[in-house]
Amino acid sequence: FLSQIDNSQIVTLFVDGRIDKQDTEIGDINLDPLNPASPLKVGYALVSEQPSFFNGYIDEVRLYSTARTQQQIQNGMWGLDPATTGLEGWWQFARTNMEGHLMDMSGKGRTARLGAGTRVARPSLVESTIPCNMEMHLAQQQLAAGVWRLVDDGMGAGQRPEPRHSHVAINVGGTRMLVHGGVGMDGESVLSDVWMFDRGIVSDSPWSLIQPVSTATMFPMYGSRGILWEGHSVVSVGVASPGTAGSPQVAMMRMDANFGTRSMGMQEVSAGLPPLSYHTLHQLPAEDDNERVWVLFGGELRQSQRSGEDGHLLTESVSNALFSSNNLEEWRTVIVPGPKPEGNYWGASLVGMGELLVVFGGQDSYSPHSRLWTFEITSSRWHKRVYAAVNAADGSVYDSCAAVEECANPPPQLNLARYGHSSVVYSGTKVQVGVAASELGLPIVFYGGVSEEHDRPVDEIWVILVPRTGQCTLLGPVVNSGPSSPGGLALHTAAMMSDALFVFGGLRQMQFDSSNELWAFTFAEYVAGSTQSMSGTWRQVPLSGDAMPRVWGHSMVMFNELWIIGGSVCEAEEGEEARCASEDDFEQLQQTTMSVWSIEFVDEMLENLGKENTTAWGGEGRKETTTGYGEDNSFPPGRRGAACILLENSLLMFGGIGKEAEGDGPEIALDDFFRLKLRDDNNVGGGGGWQGVMEWGPLSFPGEKPSGRGHAGVVVREPYVYFFAGDSVMEGELADMWRFDYMSAYPPRCQAVGEATQSAVANEEMEFTIETRTVLGKTPHSCSSEFTVEFHGLQSSSFLSGQVSKEQLPDRCRYSVRYMSTLIGVFQMQITSGGQPIHNSPMEVKVHPGPTFPANSVATGLGLTACQAGVQCGFNVYARDERRNQGLGDDRLRVLIVGPCIGDRLDPVTNLLSPCTGPDTLVAFSRYNYDGSYRVSYTLTAAGNYSMNVLLRGNHHIEGSPFLSTVTASDIHPDLTWIYGRGLSYSEAGLSSNVYVQTRDEFGNNISMQ
């Protein structure tokens, strides 16, 4: 470590954090005395005006704008915070991306580039003498990118779970997450509680405790993994607490939840698995519920229940076994057959040929290789193929490459190991392989690429013959009969049209000098096994129209025209195009783009394609107009190395290498997916060109997806699009293969149709359909998609699931959804497939009451039981349906008032009140309120007891009907009040005389007075 301390003139050299040497005479650390404006170079110097290069290994370079003290140097030996003051550049040399660039880990965006002849290598490891502090290193590890947001700190108001680790967390639909078990704060106790976290709750605590049906069956578990099963059960596999008496070594639990009432029951499932924790558990998708498969891999293997002094189980080891199950009760070990391509695999070519995907070459451990692999689609197995390298000029087999898995020791003139080359399937008729199509697919043509033995891309064409089984053949280099050629290209694009191979763009040097030229190689007649050489002629295709940019890392597809998408273009000022061929200027002139260009061939060229001695070659380039579409008006950011493929009237594009911020920032590997809808569906397949403006739109698929990458191989084999390998800026070279089904239902293009998507009737089964569309807008034929339908009450905490059924029709699959709600109100209906919502999800569904059920309808109000003569009294009647929801109330309400009663209404046997028998029957007035309720009013003048008969739907009594109502007399009316008794007419002195006064109201009702 070199440092200038305290801004003095003393320069100190540190080795392993200790001072090795100090000096005051070191000279200026300038960039280049002959060119002060040139970039900083590491491992390079000018000695007597001659370049001198460092001969050795350099690992991790940091550049500071401030002096570093010895303590700071020692503290940063195991790791560093990118936000350290003065840190201007940090290059770790672990690996480069596909163009030889090193990412700046300081976040300043100063991407470094390997000089010509420099390689990233892995020297032999030696024992370190550095006084390291591993704990400090681990504490200083930082995330390189990403944005975190604190959702809940666990310290707010309301209920919250105890802090824990090694628990299981499961998304149980909508905004809810379930958490079970784990190790508590003390690091020893194993928890058994279950909590629900609802991120949709913002006004109070988002946590709520799930009440167990029985605390005796709530097993304390840790290190478990769980999955949601059938929308209401959580299946969890893990280790029960070692301190729990009778606990099994491995516990597979099924927890059946009622998410509406927040209650849960738990039961053990006998699985026959070894005791595992910290493993992976995953459910594989299936068309039929009976075909579902769960897989479990790896984990910490608990081989005994004996605990050490610290309470931890002894004899622990790590498992690499893979188990599968169809019912979660019986598990079996899975043996994965066959080999597969090694890791660190990119820059390879990927082409489809019948039922085989073919991969040749690539970069492995920073060096090109020449391995040939095929992937058999029907069996999903990789095969490493043996091949012979044959000289295309005379048909002789190259020495040491007669039957090899890799031509590792080729003769000097043979350059098979490469990466960054192009590969296409031959589509012409002049090359005859002489083998039946059932035994051999079409020849594969690859061109260019980077070879370790050369300082620039190779200028060779090779042809690969790949039979279904047995030895393959590599023919090349194909003889060029013309006077010129592209001169070697890497990271270019290629396409076949008839017998002509077209290549466009790319790098003419290892890491600079991009091209904007279109070349075509026309194959001559060739018959396998003959003495003639395989040959053809290169010629450059002159282009008119708009000036095509110098581009590399772009994508190209062919559909009557050549379409060029994105890439890294060299943006030089007019008259300075030569700077694009300068290594020093090339980097600063690069800019990633998402422009779309097309090259339309002249008619004469298409007619004479493949013919010799014709000059009718040419095309017209033009820059196409594209726009975003959809709600977010999305437009893909600039990139290079995207994987593009043409499907019907759409161009699909995945990934690529772009910038963290458009036009600025460090490079990142993109993992986005876009569709370019070509202009006019009516013109597909026509020769008249496209009309209008093309539209970009983002695509997203449920479940797992490939990590970000550039230069991935892509090929179509119905119904799948396959992506293989590629390069990630952060992870380096990749070797994985992914596929997606472009003929299955694509959720954002599916929609629910039917009246039941907007309104429903309580207690009645409702049904609607889901119209499915593929990513290309077509109707899928198979029933391979799964949909989940959930209803969440917007006026309550109610929850409901819809039942989805599938019916295979001759030309499509019919998806029907049935549901029945017992509650009324407004519900939010969410329809997802693989967690991804369909086009019109979520929707609001209003559930109306069902038919009126009189026995559940009720009446309330004082007028039911009491009234005063001559006064208008009343009460309310509420119609209810079968589930006691407030009903529609659209039925006629009848209120019959019988009385005043004659005789005693109390039955001496049953001690119940009998209905009033009269003498009169009156009809009360009722008014419907249009909300399922009625207002009843009546006026009686005769005091006494009455029966209130409240009837709905004909003569059906509501709950509690008939009611007993007592009508009392009104106020005293003097004119109707009379006096009587002997004392009115006769009285004796000294004796008491009686006079009686009977008060009456205005209706003649006697008024009882005390």
Side-chain angles (χ1 to χ4, degrees):
F1 203 104
L2 193 67
S3 179
Q4 183 173 318
I5 301 177
D6 298 331
N7 296 321
S8 66
Q9 296 303 311
I10 300 177
V11 177
T12 305
L13 177 66
F14 293 87
V15 176
D16 291 350
R18 300 186 182 94
I19 297 176
D20 183 74
K21 185 178 181 181
Q22 290 182 321
D23 204 335
T24 58
E25 297 181 3
I26 192 172
D28 295 331
I29 307 179
N30 56 20
L31 303 181
D32 189 334
L34 300 180
N35 184 10
S38 66
L40 171 66
K41 296 182 175 67
V42 178
Y44 166 87
L46 281 177
V47 180
S48 300
E49 299 186 359
Q50 295 295 322
S52 176
F53 299 94
F54 177 71
N55 185 18
Y57 294 111
I58 299 177
D59 185 21
E60 186 147 322
V61 174
R62 302 176 194 165
L63 180 65
Y64 295 87
S65 59
T66 59
R68 303 287 286 169
T69 66
Q70 183 174 11
Q71 186 62 47
Q72 289 173 327
I73 294 171
Q74 292 176 350
N75 291 343
M77 290 169 63
W78 265 104
L80 194 67
D81 185 348
T84 300
T85 302
L87 182 62
E88 301 296 336
W90 182 9
W91 305 276
Q92 295 185 345
F93 289 90
R95 60 182 56 183
T96 65
N97 67 3
M98 71 287 295
E99 294 88 35
H101 292 173
L102 292 166
M103 183 176 180
D104 180 7
M105 306 302 294
S106 72
K108 298 297 192 300
R110 295 185 171 97
T111 303
R113 175 165 52 88
L114 294 182
T118 307
R119 292 174 51 204
V120 176
R122 293 177 177 171
S124 300
L125 298 178
V126 296
E127 185 177 353
S128 174
T129 60
I130 302 175
C132 304
N133 185 331
M134 176 63 79
E135 294 181 356
M136 184 180 298
H137 166 62
L138 295 176
Q140 291 176 346
Q141 292 297 297
Q142 300 292 324
L143 285 175
V147 178
W148 287 93
R149 180 171 63 89
L150 181 64
V151 177
D152 182 71
D153 60 6
M155 302 177 64
Q159 280 188 317
R160 277 175 166 77
E162 173 187 345
R164 64 195 64 203
H165 69 81
S166 303
H167 51 280
V168 64
I170 298 292
N171 183 291
V172 291
T175 60
R176 298 184 304 276
M177 176 182 69
L178 182 141
V179 174
H180 168 243
V183 180
M185 293 180 62
D186 57 7
E188 297 180 359
S189 59
V190 181
L191 308 174
S192 63
D193 51 352
V194 181
W195 289 80
M196 184 77 76
F197 179 86
D198 192 338
R199 61 183 173 85
I201 300 176
V202 296
S203 60
D204 199 358
S205 172
W207 290 98
S208 58
L209 181 65
I210 302 295
Q211 299 296 332
V213 176
S214 170
T215 56
T217 60
M218 295 304 291
F219 288 85
M221 296 175 66
Y222 71 99
S224 54
R225 298 293 183 265
I227 56 175
L228 184 66
W229 188 21
E230 296 181 347
H232 60 81
S233 297
V234 174
V235 177
S236 186
V237 182
V239 173
S241 170
T244 303
S247 297
Q249 292 184 356
V250 60
M252 174 176 280
M253 302 298 171
R254 173 176 170 179
M255 297 177 278
D256 291 305
N258 185 326
F259 300 136
T261 61
R262 297 291 198 270
S263 64
M264 174 168 286
M266 195 175 191
Q267 61 181 353
E268 183 182 356
V269 179
S270 177
L273 284 169
L276 292 169
S277 61
Y278 306 108
H279 47 277
T280 62
L281 180 63
H282 184 67
Q283 179 181 337
L284 303 179
E287 295 185 8
D288 192 322
D289 289 347
N290 296 324
E291 297 177 357
R292 288 180 297 184
V293 176
W294 290 264
V295 293
L296 185 149
F297 176 73
E300 196 170 53
L301 184 61
R302 308 286 179 170
Q303 297 178 339
S304 82
Q305 277 293 97
R306 187 166 59 89
S307 301
E309 295 179 357
D310 59 357
H312 286 58
L313 294 176
L314 301 179
T315 61
E316 302 171 358
S317 62
V318 179
S319 169
N320 66 347
L322 177 66
F323 299 89
S324 71
S325 174
N326 296 98
N327 54 16
L328 288 176
E329 297 184 0
E330 297 177 3
W331 291 81
R332 63 181 183 274
T333 304
V334 178
I335 306 299
V336 181
K340 64 179 181 178
E342 298 82 353
N344 297 338
Y345 209 102
W346 82 274
S349 60
L350 175 69
V351 291
M353 189 181 62
E355 296 180 354
L356 295 180
L357 304 183
V358 182
V359 177
F360 176 75
Q363 188 180 38
D364 182 7
S365 300
Y366 315 108
S367 297
H369 65 82
S370 57
R371 293 188 285 274
L372 176 64
W373 288 84
T374 58
F375 180 81
E376 189 175 1
I377 296 176
T378 54
S379 64
S380 295
R381 293 188 62 176
W382 284 100
H383 300 276
K384 194 173 186 179
R385 304 299 295 270
V386 172
Y387 64 85
V390 177
N391 191 329
D394 57 14
S396 62
V397 178
Y398 288 102
D399 294 338
S400 73
C401 294
V404 295
E405 290 185 345
E406 179 178 11
C407 200
N409 299 301
Q413 73 274 23
L414 195 59
N415 302 302
L416 283 177
R418 65 191 63 199
Y419 65 94
H421 51 289
S422 60
S423 183
V424 293
V425 176
Y426 177 77
S427 59
T429 59
K430 291 187 176 181
V431 175
Q432 300 294 324
V433 297
V435 181
S438 60
E439 299 296 328
L440 179 68
L442 295 174
I444 298 170
V445 180
F446 69 88
Y447 169 75
V450 175
S451 174
E452 191 170 16
E453 288 77 18
H454 290 73
D455 58 357
R456 61 174 297 157
V458 294
D459 189 25
E460 295 176 351
I461 296 177
W462 284 77
V463 175
I464 310 177
L465 307 179
V466 183
R468 295 185 181 276
T469 59
Q471 181 173 294
C472 305
T473 302
L474 270 66
L475 284 165
V478 178
V479 177
N480 176 26
S481 302
S484 60
S485 70
L489 294 169
L491 302 176
H492 56 283
T493 52
M496 283 293 306
M497 183 182 292
S498 185
D499 286 293
L501 168 70
F502 290 90
V503 296
F504 177 78
L507 293 176
R508 290 180 281 210
Q509 301 290 337
M510 294 286 283
Q511 298 168 10
F512 64 98
D513 192 8
S514 54
S515 169
N516 62 351
E517 296 175 350
L518 176 65
W519 286 79
F521 183 87
T522 305
F523 282 87
E525 299 283 351
Y526 173 80
V527 178
S530 65
T531 58
Q532 67 184 122
S533 63
M534 179 180 284
S535 64
T537 304
W538 276 113
R539 70 184 77 190
Q540 185 176 354
V541 180
L543 299 176
S544 60
D546 295 333
M548 301 289 287
R550 292 170 174 261
V551 64
W552 62 282
H554 53 289
S555 304
M556 182 171 73
V557 295
M558 174 172 283
F559 191 81
N560 290 340
E561 301 175 350
L562 289 176
W563 294 78
I564 314 297
I565 304 100
S568 182
V569 299
C570 186
E571 297 284 354
E573 298 290 337
E574 186 175 355
E576 297 185 354
E577 290 80 2
R579 296 180 61 195
C580 292
S582 168
E583 182 176 6
D584 292 333
D585 296 337
F586 184 74
E587 174 108 11
Q588 58 183 326
L589 295 177
Q590 292 305 296
Q591 182 176 343
T592 53
T593 180
M594 266 315 299
S595 297
V596 178
W597 293 75
S598 66
I599 301 175
E600 182 180 5
F601 297 120
V602 298
D603 293 339
E604 291 82 0
M605 176 180 171
L606 295 176
E607 294 173 2
N608 297 319
L609 192 63
K611 297 181 181 179
E612 306 210 6
N613 303 320
T614 179
T615 59
W617 283 80
E620 180 180 356
R622 61 177 181 269
K623 190 173 184 179
E624 303 296 340
T625 303
T626 58
T627 181
Y629 76 107
E631 294 181 359
D632 54 0
N633 200 37
S634 297
F635 191 87
R639 67 195 63 203
R640 64 174 178 274
C644 293
I645 197 157
L646 189 67
L647 290 177
E648 298 182 16
N649 66 331
S650 298
L651 175 74
L652 303 185
M653 178 183 71
F654 170 71
I657 304 298
K659 295 286 188 179
E660 197 168 77
E662 185 67 23
D664 195 11
E667 290 185 337
I668 59 172
L670 304 173
D671 63 353
D672 51 3
F673 215 143
F674 279 86
R675 173 195 181 211
L676 178 62
K677 182 180 179 182
L678 300 181
R679 303 174 186 167
D680 187 352
D681 293 357
N682 295 326
N683 275 341
V684 175
W690 304 93
Q691 303 295 325
V693 176
M694 297 181 296
E695 298 173 330
W696 281 109
L699 301 177
S700 59
F701 295 91
E704 297 179 285
K705 67 175 183 178
S707 59
R709 64 193 64 199
H711 297 275
V714 57
V715 71
V716 175
R717 279 299 173 268
E718 185 177 312
Y720 298 109
V721 175
Y722 291 84
F723 297 99
F724 173 68
D727 177 68
S728 167
V729 173
M730 296 299 296
E731 301 176 25
E733 301 85 7
L734 305 171
D736 49 352
M737 176 175 281
W738 294 78
R739 74 181 186 188
F740 78 91
D741 187 348
Y742 69 91
M743 299 186 70
S744 64
Y746 178 56
R749 288 183 172 269
C750 303
Q751 62 178 351
V753 294
E755 185 178 347
T757 62
Q758 300 178 358
S759 64
V761 177
N763 312 311
E764 292 186 10
E765 186 175 73
M766 310 303 298
E767 182 177 357
F768 63 89
T769 59
I770 301 176
E771 291 186 349
T772 56
R773 293 291 184 271
T774 68
V775 68
L776 303 178
K778 307 295 183 180
T779 301
H781 293 278
S782 67
C783 292
S784 59
S785 300
E786 300 291 338
F787 291 93
T788 300
V789 182
E790 293 183 346
F791 297 81
H792 303 268
L794 297 180
Q795 300 165 320
S796 65
S797 60
S798 53
F799 174 80
L800 174 69
S801 294
Q803 301 299 317
V804 183
S805 61
K806 297 185 285 188
E807 179 184 1
Q808 184 66 63
L809 302 178
D811 60 339
R812 61 187 176 90
C813 181
R814 173 184 170 88
Y815 292 86
S816 301
V817 180
R818 294 181 177 87
Y819 67 93
M820 183 174 69
S821 175
T822 60
L823 301 177
I824 64 172
V826 180
F827 288 77
Q828 184 183 76
M829 179 172 65
Q830 297 176 334
I831 305 178
T832 59
S833 178
Q836 189 174 19
I838 67 172
H839 173 67
N840 54 344
S841 176
M843 293 159 278
E844 287 191 0
V845 179
K846 187 174 183 179
V847 180
H848 302 277
T852 300
F853 198 76
N856 289 342
S857 301
V858 296
T860 61
L862 295 176
L864 273 177
T865 56
C867 191
Q868 190 176 34
V871 177
Q872 187 182 66
C873 299
F875 55 89
N876 296 316
V877 177
Y878 299 95
R880 294 283 188 266
D881 63 12
E882 188 176 2
R883 294 284 182 167
R884 293 190 174 274
N885 298 302
Q886 184 161 329
L888 296 174
D890 54 354
D891 298 288
R892 181 171 175 266
L893 174 71
R894 300 172 60 226
V895 179
L896 303 180
I897 305 175
V898 181
C901 296
I902 299 175
D904 191 358
R905 295 183 60 232
L906 183 65
D907 190 317
V909 178
T910 63
N911 205 33
L912 297 176
L913 291 174
S914 60
C916 188
T917 58
D920 297 322
T921 299
L922 305 175
V923 178
F925 172 77
S926 64
R927 183 186 74 247
Y928 179 51
N929 295 328
Y930 298 98
D931 61 355
S933 67
Y934 303 82
R935 178 63 183 175
V936 178
S937 59
Y938 63 92
T939 303
L940 298 174
T941 58
N945 293 324
Y946 289 82
S947 286
M948 293 285 182
N949 298 275
V950 184
L951 309 173
L952 278 171
R953 305 192 71 176
N955 293 320
H956 298 281
H957 287 269
I958 69 170
E959 184 180 83
S961 176
F963 300 92
L964 173 64
S965 180
T966 301
V967 178
T968 59
S970 184
D971 297 332
I972 297 174
H973 195 286
D975 292 344
L976 299 180
T977 299
W978 62 286
I979 186 169
Y980 66 93
R982 185 178 180 184
L984 286 175
S985 59
Y986 176 80
S987 178
E988 294 183 8
L991 297 176
S992 172
S993 298
N994 295 325
V995 177
Y996 300 94
V997 178
Q998 177 62 61
T999 59
R1000 291 182 175 177
D1001 62 13
E1002 60 179 310
F1003 305 107
N1005 296 307
N1006 293 333
I1007 300 176
S1008 300
M1009 300 192 65
Q1010 190 174 6

